[in-house]
Amino acid sequence: MDAVYIILTSSLFAISCGLLGCFLILRKMAMVGDAISHAVLPGIVIAFLITGTRDSFEMIIGAALLGILCTFLIEFFNKKAKLQTDAAIGVTFTSLFALGVILISVFAGQVDLDQECVLYGEIAYVPIDLWISDSGQNMGPKALYVSALTLIVNILFIRVGFKQLYLTTFDPAFAATTGISVALWNYLLMGSVSMTTVAAFDSVGAILVVALLVAPPATAYLLTDNFKKMMLITCGIAIIISILGYYLAVLLDGSIAGAVVTVAGILFGLAYLFSPSSGILLKRINQKKEAEKLAMPKV
Amino acid sequence: MKIEAKNPVVEFHDLTVSYHKKPVLWNIDMTLPQGALIGIIGPNGAGKSTLIKAAMGLLPLGSGYVRMFDEALDKVRHKVSYVPQRETVDWDFPTSVLDVVMMGRYSKLGLLTRPRKADKEMAMNCLRKVGMEAYTDRQISQLSGGQQQRVFLARALAQEADLYFMDEPFAGVDAATEAAILAIMQEMTANGKTVIVVHHDLQSAAEFFDWIVLLNMRLVASGPIDKVFNNDMLQETYGGKLTVLAEVGELVRKRQMPSREKY
């Protein structure tokens, strides 16, 4: 049963991250996802200090606010201070993350949070942290509910805002002229990334959540040239890496989150080599065939 | 030299636009007529694209205002369409030709409404008009430059607007596409729609447009082509670059353009 809980939780988080990641990589903002996943740390710590619990609604709000602040700062440095995007991202998220690290170390006595947990998470503990209802009934792991809720919120968001998200991703100038607020949808998307990141924090950690945001959509991008199919393939990959990653970790007796992302990396490599549309292997073979055809002497 | 339009559809009033505190457009003040095919002409860096971006609210205005149909843009957005430069979007984006044209219908739909069958038929009609119906499901990265421009035009047609701003729609397209786009624009203006085009080629400008706006950071001239498209005005617009103008000016004076090769 533990295996099922872990795989299910991991799959649900990976799907949430992957769906948002599809938009991020097409907006060329994958690294903004990375930045947000780190920058939410001070938000989490401050919310924790105020409320004193680790699974609170306030914590998610705190993180979402920091994520949006991070997005805002990156745009601000980029547009107003004319700093290059990558430099703006680098400065912003490391500063915010460092602030979080300082907060944790200063309030170490009061905070049941440590850098290890924040950075790496531990999905193996999912089945231990159970939700016991008031009547004392065991309702299953808390993380499973969090991951399911996160996915529902994300699917609703993408479903409701699909046209706007799609259009502002493909052609923001055109979107703006039709009266769609490009900035609003950008912040909504980044707010969702922040919330998802925080929700997935406990389980997969800040570093590995980045991999879930980027690797499955990047793999899907190589396999199709239809956006809706890209989202479906991303979901499929999210489930596959969760299952294979879990058993790889059991086999090696290692970190589950690490194994999940390793599998994601391997799948990306395979897609790069063997994708029907952009795989280098098939391209080579086709080129060779063409060359042979051309080289054939005419009779 | 400035001639006011009799039936103005767009009014620029003392418009000034700056990029990073450096002014790129000074005191643009003019009216443009309804139902005309209007060319905005000027050298590189004259602020042609800036002018239509400012009109569409994509850039902050330093001073002045732009009114369309005697209203602020926000009130008449559904009647105005903008075609950005082709290079501004990622043509490797995982989307099909039909999907891009459907985007022209989005502004007619509410937040939650999904495109209906009628919208799809409308989009298909627009694709047919630009001669791209055979490419409906094609991924956009497989299109040539001319085909990309046709798709952008189809998306604009799907908006069913009355006023169109197009940024360099003739840049880098093949001769067949150029002729097809021009024919569509002429049909649009014949139906009372107004088409405003940023254009950089002087020779074809003389053939294409009814009304010319000559721009070089400030407004040099605005008026019917036979009144403003002459050697003096072009010299004023292009300043010292007379070498380019020598032969073109000659051609313009004669009002005949035989040197352009047709396909």
Side-chain angles (χ1 to χ4, degrees):
Chain A
M1 204 57 202
D2 285 1
V4 175
Y5 283 146
I6 291 171
I7 290 171
L8 209 54
T9 308
S10 156
S11 301
L12 293 174
F13 277 136
I15 292 173
S16 285
C17 290
L19 288 175
L20 295 172
C22 286
F23 290 101
L24 287 182
I25 67 165
L26 289 175
R27 284 169 175 249
K28 305 183 171 57
M29 290 176 88
M31 282 301 114
V32 177
D34 179 7
I36 286 175
S37 67
H38 287 71
V40 292
L41 184 59
I44 293 176
V45 181
I46 292 168
F48 182 85
L49 287 173
I50 295 170
T51 62
T53 74
R54 249 178 70 176
D55 41 18
S56 64
F57 180 66
E58 286 86 347
M59 208 145 120
I60 291 198
I61 299 296
L65 288 178
L66 254 292
I68 288 169
L69 175 72
C70 175
T71 317
F72 171 78
L73 285 177
I74 290 170
E75 299 230 329
F76 179 81
F77 289 134
N78 184 219
K79 295 230 168 87
K80 301 282 174 199
K82 283 188 255 170
L83 200 61
Q84 290 80 350
T85 320
D86 51 353
I89 293 171
V91 166
T92 309
F93 91 85
T94 47
S95 308
L96 289 173
F97 186 69
L99 182 69
V101 171
I102 289 181
L103 284 174
I104 290 185
S105 54
V106 169
F107 296 101
Q110 307 158 39
V111 183
D112 176 27
L113 269 177
D114 59 67
Q115 285 99 318
E116 289 278 299
C117 154
V118 164
L119 285 174
Y120 307 115
E122 190 40 272
I123 200 163
Y125 295 156
V126 162
I128 302 170
D129 191 11
L130 295 169
W131 178 27
I132 311 292
S133 73
D134 292 339
S135 56
Q137 203 184 350
N138 181 358
M139 307 287 284
K142 277 180 196 163
L144 189 56
Y145 288 94
V146 176
S147 62
L149 194 67
T150 309
L151 183 58
I152 290 168
V153 170
N154 277 317
I155 288 177
L156 276 177
F157 169 62
I158 291 171
R159 180 93 179 172
V160 169
F162 184 79
K163 291 197 302 282
Q164 283 75 4
L165 286 169
Y166 193 52
L167 189 50
T168 54
T169 303
F170 175 63
D171 193 346
F174 178 82
T177 63
T178 63
I180 295 170
S181 170
V182 177
L184 172 73
W185 286 95
N186 191 32
Y187 285 122
L188 285 174
L189 179 63
M190 294 309 154
S192 305
V193 170
S194 312
M195 285 192 277
T196 306
T197 307
V198 178
F201 235 86
D202 263 353
S203 311
V204 290
I207 294 178
L208 302 182
V209 91
V210 181
L212 295 183
L213 281 169
V214 183
T219 311
Y221 180 79
L222 293 180
L223 296 174
T224 178
D225 43 26
N226 173 312
F227 185 69
K228 283 182 180 160
K229 278 188 198 147
M230 179 175 158
M231 295 210 290
L232 286 177
I233 295 174
T234 299
C235 296
I237 293 171
I239 294 165
I240 293 170
I241 59 173
S242 300
I243 296 171
L244 293 182
Y246 176 79
Y247 288 106
L248 179 68
V250 170
L251 193 74
L252 299 174
D253 194 21
S255 148
I256 297 171
V260 167
V261 177
T262 307
V263 174
I266 293 169
L267 286 189
F268 176 80
L270 291 176
Y272 176 66
L273 290 174
F274 300 110
S275 152
S277 54
S278 36
I280 55 163
L281 228 63
L282 280 168
K283 260 187 205 160
R284 287 266 165 81
I285 293 168
N286 284 340
Q287 272 170 7
K288 221 174 181 181
K289 270 187 197 160
E290 293 276 309
E292 274 166 14
K293 241 188 246 168
L294 288 172
M296 229 171 337
K298 278 178 192 157
V299 184
Chain B
M1 180 168 167
K2 197 177 75 179
I3 296 167
E4 298 296 342
K6 285 199 190 93
N7 44 351
V9 66
V10 188
E11 180 196 358
F12 290 86
H13 183 83
D14 280 343
L15 187 77
T16 299
V17 181
S18 317
Y19 262 132
H20 306 307
K21 291 177 187 154
K22 208 176 98 196
V24 275
L25 286 175
W26 284 98
N27 271 332
I28 307 294
D29 195 290
M30 62 178 174
T31 49
L32 299 174
Q34 193 233 326
L37 184 47
I38 300 163
I40 300 177
I41 318 282
N44 286 338
K48 304 184 293 285
S49 296
T50 306
L51 182 70
I52 65 170
K53 278 186 195 152
M56 290 308 296
L58 294 172
L59 294 171
L61 307 184
S63 67
Y65 59 80
V66 184
R67 284 171 80 80
M68 298 167 197
F69 306 100
D70 222 10
E71 297 269 11
L73 173 65
D74 270 330
K75 289 199 176 148
V76 289
R77 274 191 197 279
H78 59 284
K79 287 161 82 176
V80 186
S81 163
Y82 169 69
V83 181
Q85 278 184 32
R86 206 157 32 90
E87 297 79 35
T88 53
V89 305
D90 172 14
W91 290 94
D92 284 328
F93 199 85
T95 189
S96 70
V97 166
L98 183 63
D99 280 344
V100 173
V101 180
M102 287 298 282
M103 289 174 191
R105 302 300 300 164
Y106 282 6
S107 52
K108 304 253 184 260
L109 305 168
L111 185 66
L112 281 162
T113 347
R114 317 186 76 197
R116 281 175 293 255
K117 214 177 162 197
D119 293 305
K120 201 175 164 187
E121 272 164 26
M122 167 78 201
M124 283 303 298
N125 274 335
C126 296
L127 276 173
R128 223 164 281 137
K129 260 186 210 160
V130 300
M132 289 287 290
E133 69 271 30
Y135 297 87
T136 313
D137 296 318
R138 195 68 71 89
Q139 206 257 325
I140 57 170
S141 66
Q142 298 169 19
L143 303 177
S144 72
Q147 290 170 331
Q148 291 174 351
Q149 197 62 57
R150 286 171 191 236
V151 171
F152 260 20
L153 184 60
R155 181 177 71 176
L157 291 174
Q159 288 183 281
E160 296 182 296
D162 293 320
L163 170 62
Y164 291 81
F165 287 93
M166 304 194 186
D167 204 343
E168 299 268 12
F170 296 108
V173 303
D174 52 291
T177 300
E178 185 180 284
I181 293 179
L182 182 65
I184 291 166
M185 286 176 178
Q186 282 164 344
E187 191 198 322
M188 288 158 79
T189 51
N191 290 328
K193 298 179 188 285
T194 311
V195 182
I196 300 171
V197 176
V198 168
H199 194 64
H200 67 279
D201 182 42
L202 279 174
Q203 290 193 30
S204 52
E207 292 173 86
F208 289 179
F209 304 113
D210 321 323
W211 186 285
I212 293 276
V213 174
L214 289 170
L215 196 71
N216 193 349
M217 295 179 77
R218 61 189 182 82
L219 184 67
V220 177
S222 166
I225 186 154
D226 48 340
K227 299 250 172 62
V228 303
F229 204 61
N230 54 45
N231 212 5
D232 291 347
M233 286 294 135
L234 287 172
Q235 289 223 24
E236 206 184 324
T237 314
Y238 284 80
K241 294 166 194 160
L242 286 168
T243 40
V244 191
L245 276 176
E247 48 188 309
V248 178
E250 190 60 32
L251 290 167
V252 169
R253 216 184 339 254
K254 287 179 190 156
R255 293 288 288 125
Q256 55 178 357
M257 304 293 137
S259 64
R260 242 181 116 69
E261 251 179 76
K262 289 277 168 186
Y263 47 99

